[in-house]
mmCIF file of all heavy atoms in Angstrom:
data_model
loop_
_atom_site.group_PDB
_atom_site.id
_atom_site.type_symbol
_atom_site.label_atom_id
_atom_site.label_comp_id
_atom_site.label_asym_id
_atom_site.label_seq_id
_atom_site.Cartn_x
_atom_site.Cartn_y
_atom_site.Cartn_z
ATOM 1 N N GLU A 33 -47.166 126.713 -88.288
ATOM 2 C CA GLU A 33 -45.924 126.113 -87.817
ATOM 3 C C GLU A 33 -46.087 125.140 -86.689
ATOM 4 O O GLU A 33 -45.580 124.142 -86.561
ATOM 5 C CB GLU A 33 -44.826 127.160 -87.551
ATOM 6 C CG GLU A 33 -44.292 127.802 -88.866
ATOM 7 C CD GLU A 33 -43.384 128.954 -88.543
ATOM 8 O OE1 GLU A 33 -43.314 129.479 -87.397
ATOM 9 O OE2 GLU A 33 -42.702 129.385 -89.478
ATOM 10 N N ALA A 34 -46.904 125.642 -85.672
ATOM 11 C CA ALA A 34 -47.190 124.851 -84.481
ATOM 12 C C ALA A 34 -47.923 123.581 -84.941
ATOM 13 O O ALA A 34 -47.634 122.450 -84.487
ATOM 14 C CB ALA A 34 -47.983 125.636 -83.457
ATOM 15 N N SER A 35 -48.879 123.770 -85.862
ATOM 16 C CA SER A 35 -49.598 122.538 -86.348
ATOM 17 C C SER A 35 -48.678 121.656 -87.046
ATOM 18 O O SER A 35 -48.775 120.384 -86.850
ATOM 19 C CB SER A 35 -50.772 122.933 -87.285
ATOM 20 O OG SER A 35 -51.784 123.661 -86.605
ATOM 21 N N LEU A 36 -47.769 122.143 -87.900
ATOM 22 C CA LEU A 36 -46.792 121.393 -88.679
ATOM 23 C C LEU A 36 -45.892 120.667 -87.748
ATOM 24 O O LEU A 36 -45.597 119.465 -87.861
ATOM 25 C CB LEU A 36 -46.059 122.254 -89.559
ATOM 26 C CG LEU A 36 -44.933 121.552 -90.470
ATOM 27 C CD1 LEU A 36 -45.644 120.595 -91.375
ATOM 28 C CD2 LEU A 36 -44.155 122.601 -91.245
ATOM 29 N N ASN A 37 -45.372 121.336 -86.604
ATOM 30 C CA ASN A 37 -44.608 120.652 -85.622
ATOM 31 C C ASN A 37 -45.378 119.648 -84.884
ATOM 32 O O ASN A 37 -44.828 118.472 -84.668
ATOM 33 C CB ASN A 37 -43.972 121.780 -84.557
ATOM 34 C CG ASN A 37 -42.952 122.535 -85.305
ATOM 35 O OD1 ASN A 37 -42.352 122.211 -86.249
ATOM 36 N ND2 ASN A 37 -42.714 123.798 -84.712
ATOM 37 N N ALA A 38 -46.547 119.868 -84.561
ATOM 38 C CA ALA A 38 -47.410 118.854 -83.936
ATOM 39 C C ALA A 38 -47.571 117.644 -84.760
ATOM 40 O O ALA A 38 -47.435 116.497 -84.360
ATOM 41 C CB ALA A 38 -48.763 119.410 -83.578
ATOM 42 N N LEU A 39 -47.792 117.876 -86.110
ATOM 43 C CA LEU A 39 -47.945 116.765 -87.073
ATOM 44 C C LEU A 39 -46.681 116.013 -87.247
ATOM 45 O O LEU A 39 -46.628 114.782 -87.394
ATOM 46 C CB LEU A 39 -48.434 117.333 -88.468
ATOM 47 C CG LEU A 39 -49.848 117.700 -88.562
ATOM 48 C CD1 LEU A 39 -50.111 118.445 -89.896
ATOM 49 C CD2 LEU A 39 -50.781 116.548 -88.346
ATOM 50 N N LYS A 40 -45.445 116.727 -87.284
ATOM 51 C CA LYS A 40 -44.162 116.021 -87.282
ATOM 52 C C LYS A 40 -43.985 115.166 -86.157
ATOM 53 O O LYS A 40 -43.474 113.983 -86.191
ATOM 54 C CB LYS A 40 -43.113 117.095 -87.374
ATOM 55 C CG LYS A 40 -42.950 117.680 -88.797
ATOM 56 C CD LYS A 40 -41.824 118.793 -88.809
ATOM 57 C CE LYS A 40 -41.618 119.361 -90.238
ATOM 58 N NZ LYS A 40 -40.606 120.406 -90.193
ATOM 59 N N GLU A 41 -44.326 115.672 -84.887
ATOM 60 C CA GLU A 41 -44.273 114.888 -83.654
ATOM 61 C C GLU A 41 -45.155 113.684 -83.752
ATOM 62 O O GLU A 41 -44.766 112.628 -83.403
ATOM 63 C CB GLU A 41 -44.523 115.758 -82.504
ATOM 64 C CG GLU A 41 -43.487 116.750 -82.141
ATOM 65 C CD GLU A 41 -43.896 117.768 -80.939
ATOM 66 O OE1 GLU A 41 -44.910 117.369 -80.320
ATOM 67 O OE2 GLU A 41 -43.192 118.679 -80.708
ATOM 68 N N GLU A 42 -46.319 113.916 -84.175
ATOM 69 C CA GLU A 42 -47.315 112.774 -84.354
ATOM 70 C C GLU A 42 -46.803 111.752 -85.353
ATOM 71 O O GLU A 42 -46.951 110.540 -85.130
ATOM 72 C CB GLU A 42 -48.639 113.350 -84.876
ATOM 73 C CG GLU A 42 -49.791 112.325 -84.772
ATOM 74 C CD GLU A 42 -50.102 111.898 -83.357
ATOM 75 O OE1 GLU A 42 -49.968 112.733 -82.349
ATOM 76 O OE2 GLU A 42 -50.516 110.701 -83.197
ATOM 77 N N LYS A 43 -46.144 112.242 -86.431
ATOM 78 C CA LYS A 43 -45.607 111.297 -87.421
ATOM 79 C C LYS A 43 -44.520 110.467 -86.761
ATOM 80 O O LYS A 43 -44.443 109.223 -86.995
ATOM 81 C CB LYS A 43 -45.083 112.141 -88.598
ATOM 82 C CG LYS A 43 -44.427 111.201 -89.660
ATOM 83 C CD LYS A 43 -43.806 112.072 -90.741
ATOM 84 C CE LYS A 43 -42.950 111.246 -91.602
ATOM 85 N NZ LYS A 43 -42.065 111.910 -92.547
ATOM 86 N N VAL A 44 -43.642 111.122 -86.002
ATOM 87 C CA VAL A 44 -42.514 110.391 -85.372
ATOM 88 C C VAL A 44 -43.115 109.362 -84.426
ATOM 89 O O VAL A 44 -42.653 108.244 -84.358
ATOM 90 C CB VAL A 44 -41.562 111.340 -84.695
ATOM 91 C CG1 VAL A 44 -40.596 110.658 -83.723
ATOM 92 C CG2 VAL A 44 -40.764 112.242 -85.722
ATOM 93 N N LYS A 45 -44.091 109.770 -83.662
ATOM 94 C CA LYS A 45 -44.804 108.874 -82.659
ATOM 95 C C LYS A 45 -45.363 107.750 -83.402
ATOM 96 O O LYS A 45 -45.253 106.607 -82.997
ATOM 97 C CB LYS A 45 -45.810 109.709 -81.885
ATOM 98 C CG LYS A 45 -46.367 109.130 -80.702
ATOM 99 C CD LYS A 45 -47.264 109.981 -79.988
ATOM 100 C CE LYS A 45 -48.004 109.518 -78.859
ATOM 101 N NZ LYS A 45 -48.916 110.427 -78.187
ATOM 102 N N THR A 46 -46.087 108.063 -84.475
ATOM 103 C CA THR A 46 -46.768 106.993 -85.254
ATOM 104 C C THR A 46 -45.753 105.993 -85.912
ATOM 105 O O THR A 46 -45.925 104.801 -85.857
ATOM 106 C CB THR A 46 -47.598 107.577 -86.407
ATOM 107 O OG1 THR A 46 -48.565 108.527 -85.783
ATOM 108 C CG2 THR A 46 -48.328 106.555 -87.188
ATOM 109 N N GLU A 47 -44.648 106.583 -86.270
ATOM 110 C CA GLU A 47 -43.607 105.705 -86.957
ATOM 111 C C GLU A 47 -42.972 104.842 -85.890
ATOM 112 O O GLU A 47 -42.701 103.586 -86.112
ATOM 113 C CB GLU A 47 -42.479 106.530 -87.626
ATOM 114 C CG GLU A 47 -42.896 107.197 -88.928
ATOM 115 C CD GLU A 47 -41.858 108.109 -89.469
ATOM 116 O OE1 GLU A 47 -40.940 108.578 -88.759
ATOM 117 O OE2 GLU A 47 -42.011 108.463 -90.639
ATOM 118 N N LYS A 48 -42.778 105.372 -84.633
ATOM 119 C CA LYS A 48 -42.229 104.474 -83.539
ATOM 120 C C LYS A 48 -43.253 103.433 -83.238
ATOM 121 O O LYS A 48 -42.882 102.265 -83.042
ATOM 122 C CB LYS A 48 -42.029 105.385 -82.329
ATOM 123 C CG LYS A 48 -40.696 106.219 -82.408
ATOM 124 C CD LYS A 48 -40.486 106.920 -81.050
ATOM 125 C CE LYS A 48 -39.330 107.828 -81.154
ATOM 126 N NZ LYS A 48 -39.214 108.630 -79.817
ATOM 127 N N GLN A 49 -44.514 103.817 -83.203
ATOM 128 C CA GLN A 49 -45.608 102.805 -82.805
ATOM 129 C C GLN A 49 -45.654 101.809 -83.986
ATOM 130 O O GLN A 49 -45.755 100.562 -83.667
ATOM 131 C CB GLN A 49 -46.966 103.440 -82.728
ATOM 132 C CG GLN A 49 -47.125 104.288 -81.418
ATOM 133 C CD GLN A 49 -48.475 104.982 -81.366
ATOM 134 O OE1 GLN A 49 -49.104 105.235 -82.386
ATOM 135 N NE2 GLN A 49 -48.935 105.329 -80.154
ATOM 136 N N ALA A 50 -45.550 102.176 -85.209
ATOM 137 C CA ALA A 50 -45.481 101.288 -86.346
ATOM 138 C C ALA A 50 -44.297 100.327 -86.225
ATOM 139 O O ALA A 50 -44.464 99.104 -86.460
ATOM 140 C CB ALA A 50 -45.542 102.065 -87.632
ATOM 141 N N GLU A 51 -43.179 100.849 -85.913
ATOM 142 C CA GLU A 51 -42.012 99.988 -85.768
ATOM 143 C C GLU A 51 -42.145 99.007 -84.659
ATOM 144 O O GLU A 51 -41.792 97.801 -84.774
ATOM 145 C CB GLU A 51 -40.758 100.867 -85.535
ATOM 146 C CG GLU A 51 -39.505 100.120 -85.488
ATOM 147 C CD GLU A 51 -39.114 99.261 -86.741
ATOM 148 O OE1 GLU A 51 -39.473 99.607 -87.810
ATOM 149 O OE2 GLU A 51 -38.609 98.147 -86.507
#
Side-chain angles (χ1 to χ4, degrees):
E33 285 175 347
S35 293
L36 182 62
N37 287 337
L39 285 172
K40 285 179 181 178
E41 288 175 13
E42 189 65 31
K43 179 184 172 195
V44 168
K45 191 176 174 182
T46 302
E47 285 174 347
K48 282 182 183 178
Q49 288 174 338
E51 184 57 37

